[in-house]
Amino acid sequence: MCNLAQNFPFIKEGDKFTIEFQMDNNKIRVGITQGDVNGIGYEVILKTLEDSRMLELCTPIVYGSAKIASFYRKMLNMPAVPFSQIADTNEISGDANYIINVVGEDLKIEPGEETRIGGDAAFSALERAVADLKEGKIDVLVTAPINKHNIQSDTFKFPGHTEYLQSVCDDGSKALMILASDNMRVALVTTHLPVSQVASALSSDLILEKIKSFSNSLKKDYMIVNPRIAVLSLNPHAGDEGILGNEEKEIIIPAIEKAKAEKIQAYGPYSSDGFFGSGSFKHFDGILAMYHDQGLIPFKTLAMNDGVNFTAGLPFVRTSPDHGTAYDIAGKGVADNTSMRSAIYAAIDIYRNRERYADMTHNPLRKQYFDKSKDNVVLDLTSDDKDTNY
């Protein structure tokens, strides 16, 4: 027991006093959207949150429906996951799983079916969670899968989460889609775009913009000081010196050279098949693909279960599992929640990394410059010259 009188002489034996300890609850508030209610979203959310250890890392807030969560728990015969229903995040108090109801009690659930109702419910959750995210009521956003077709409406005219999240930013931020796992990070120049439009959408300026954004994210979000980025080609065999296409010579290589001129370690272009088949991807911190399937097919082949979709380049952190709604297995209890769990972990790590990066770069030391052009000159160390740098 601590002897307070010994350590604090002004305290006399017998004095009564109260000591108040203030402890910061610095657990990150993780907003989780329900996604398409007819897909596997609730199953992977419930399987993730049934592990009580998650509460040691964060405060989960699900934007969805307590009734739907209960429906899936009973349907799948899962252990009870206790939720505290709240109307707003200011009601959060203590360690618990929280849920904010964003849809009506009478919403019809049809596991495995694509419905208009499912799309509307997915957007209701996304819209409310993003509003809270922008207001600082939650720290990070983790989105369960949506169906890109049934979510379309007058208020959602985007090919996916990535484009929608970019649109809600007021600072002109541009999103960069990154698929990440423990051993690979793949970013995309073009995202949800028909293959027939990819070549015409590419330009040296766009590729350079994505290289710079990727490099910045690898530094800030993944704490890699001087990242090495591999840039993939558009055409087979990197165009074979123009035989199979000129985009490499005319667009991609100039962008890589400009990036190098800005002290970014960018290399390539590499032909996608040989690059992944030979294991060359292991030598780089990041891989920039020209289009969606070029990067995501090898990524999901190698890291399907624990892969995470991260939207870089925005002022807030958003992650999601790297899989879709999976209607074919919805309601069957066989969905793997590893990717959802990894998405939550990644969101927490990236949020913390951004805090650390901001602290490290907030007030950097003034850079010292030394003129080495006269290193062969013997200095008079007895000089009274106050401006001499030794």
Side-chain angles (χ1 to χ4, degrees):
M1 182 179 293
C2 177
N3 187 334
L4 293 176
Q6 179 180 352
N7 290 282
F8 302 96
F10 57 86
I11 298 177
K12 297 179 180 179
E13 188 174 351
D15 283 351
K16 295 182 179 180
F17 54 90
T18 300
I19 299 178
E20 294 186 0
F21 292 96
Q22 291 187 346
M23 297 181 64
D24 275 336
N25 181 4
N26 61 353
K27 289 182 182 177
I28 293 175
R29 294 186 175 191
V30 179
I32 305 171
T33 59
Q34 65 183 355
D36 191 308
V37 296
N38 296 323
I40 62 171
Y42 271 100
E43 181 178 344
V44 296
I45 290 171
L46 291 171
K47 284 181 175 179
T48 299
L49 298 184
E50 72 179 10
D51 186 343
S52 60
R53 290 175 297 181
M54 188 63 69
L55 295 178
E56 298 174 9
L57 302 176
C58 65
T59 301
I61 304 105
V62 176
Y63 291 81
S65 165
K67 183 177 180 181
I68 299 176
S70 178
F71 169 85
Y72 274 105
R73 183 188 66 78
K74 294 176 181 177
M75 179 184 186
L76 301 172
N77 194 28
M78 295 177 59
V81 178
F83 281 103
S84 294
Q85 294 186 54
I86 57 175
D88 192 88
T89 56
N90 59 19
E91 299 176 28
I92 291 175
S93 176
D95 294 338
N97 296 304
Y98 294 91
I99 192 163
I100 296 177
N101 292 316
V102 297
V103 295
E105 290 286 314
D106 58 346
L107 188 140
K108 186 177 182 181
I109 309 167
E110 300 179 72
E113 299 295 325
E114 177 186 340
T115 67
R116 172 77 266 167
I117 293 174
D120 291 342
F123 181 66
S124 294
L126 179 62
E127 186 177 40
R128 173 65 186 276
V130 168
D132 283 359
L133 183 66
K134 293 181 68 176
E135 292 180 18
K137 293 183 177 181
I138 57 176
D139 298 310
V140 298
L141 176 64
V142 178
T143 58
I146 60 172
N147 180 300
K148 296 178 177 61
H149 178 254
N150 69 9
I151 198 174
Q152 297 298 317
S153 67
D154 291 339
T155 50
F156 190 98
K157 297 180 179 179
F158 305 92
H161 278 113
T162 304
E163 294 80 4
Y164 171 75
L165 293 170
Q166 177 178 288
S167 76
V168 302
C169 294
D170 304 322
D171 60 356
S173 298
K174 294 186 178 181
L176 176 70
M177 183 187 290
I178 298 177
L179 276 293
S181 68
D182 289 340
N183 62 352
M184 191 189 321
R185 302 173 195 88
V186 178
L188 305 179
V189 176
T190 61
T191 53
H192 301 113
L193 193 67
V195 174
S196 61
Q197 299 176 22
V198 170
S200 59
L202 295 177
S203 68
S204 285
D205 288 343
L206 176 62
I207 295 171
L208 177 62
E209 173 190 302
K210 297 299 183 180
I211 293 174
K212 292 166 70 173
S213 178
F214 198 11
S215 178
N216 184 55
S217 177
L218 290 170
K219 293 176 182 177
K220 180 172 64 175
D221 301 324
Y222 294 96
M223 301 297 285
I224 300 172
V225 176
N226 193 16
R228 291 167 51 88
I229 298 174
V231 181
L232 300 184
S233 64
L234 173 67
N235 298 300
H237 308 297
D240 263 347
E241 299 296 327
I243 296 176
L244 299 177
N246 293 312
E247 284 82 4
E248 284 72 25
K249 284 185 175 182
E250 298 175 358
I251 297 175
I252 301 176
I253 292 175
I256 294 173
E257 294 303 321
K258 290 177 183 177
K260 288 180 177 178
E262 297 189 29
K263 309 300 182 184
I264 297 174
Q265 290 201 77
Y267 303 90
Y270 299 101
S271 180
S272 181
D273 57 351
F275 181 79
F276 287 101
S278 66
S280 297
F281 68 90
K282 298 175 183 178
H283 304 301
F284 295 89
D285 302 300
I287 303 152
L288 184 66
M290 293 296 113
Y291 58 94
H292 188 279
D293 283 10
Q294 182 188 46
L296 268 60
I297 288 176
F299 177 85
K300 290 189 176 184
T301 300
L302 296 169
M304 182 64 187
N305 288 336
D306 61 350
V308 173
N309 182 352
F310 165 48
T311 305
L314 302 183
F316 48 76
V317 177
R318 174 261 174 170
T319 64
S320 76
D322 70 348
H323 56 70
T325 55
Y327 288 140
D328 58 322
I329 60 171
K332 297 181 180 179
V334 297
D336 189 331
N337 70 303
T338 306
S339 187
M340 171 58 79
R341 186 174 62 246
S342 295
I344 294 175
Y345 291 162
I348 294 170
D349 288 343
I350 292 168
Y351 183 86
R352 293 294 189 211
N353 285 343
R354 286 189 177 186
E355 286 186 323
R356 296 186 187 101
Y357 184 85
D359 288 342
M360 290 189 301
T361 58
H362 174 65
N363 189 24
L365 294 173
R366 182 174 63 87
K367 197 167 185 177
Q368 302 294 319
Y369 293 92
F370 297 93
D371 182 3
K372 296 184 178 181
S373 62
K374 299 179 181 179
D375 280 355
N376 60 336
V377 177
V378 177
L379 298 178
D380 180 4
L381 299 181
T382 63
S383 171
D384 291 330
D385 185 356
K386 303 295 185 183
D387 296 328
T388 302
N389 289 322
Y390 299 117

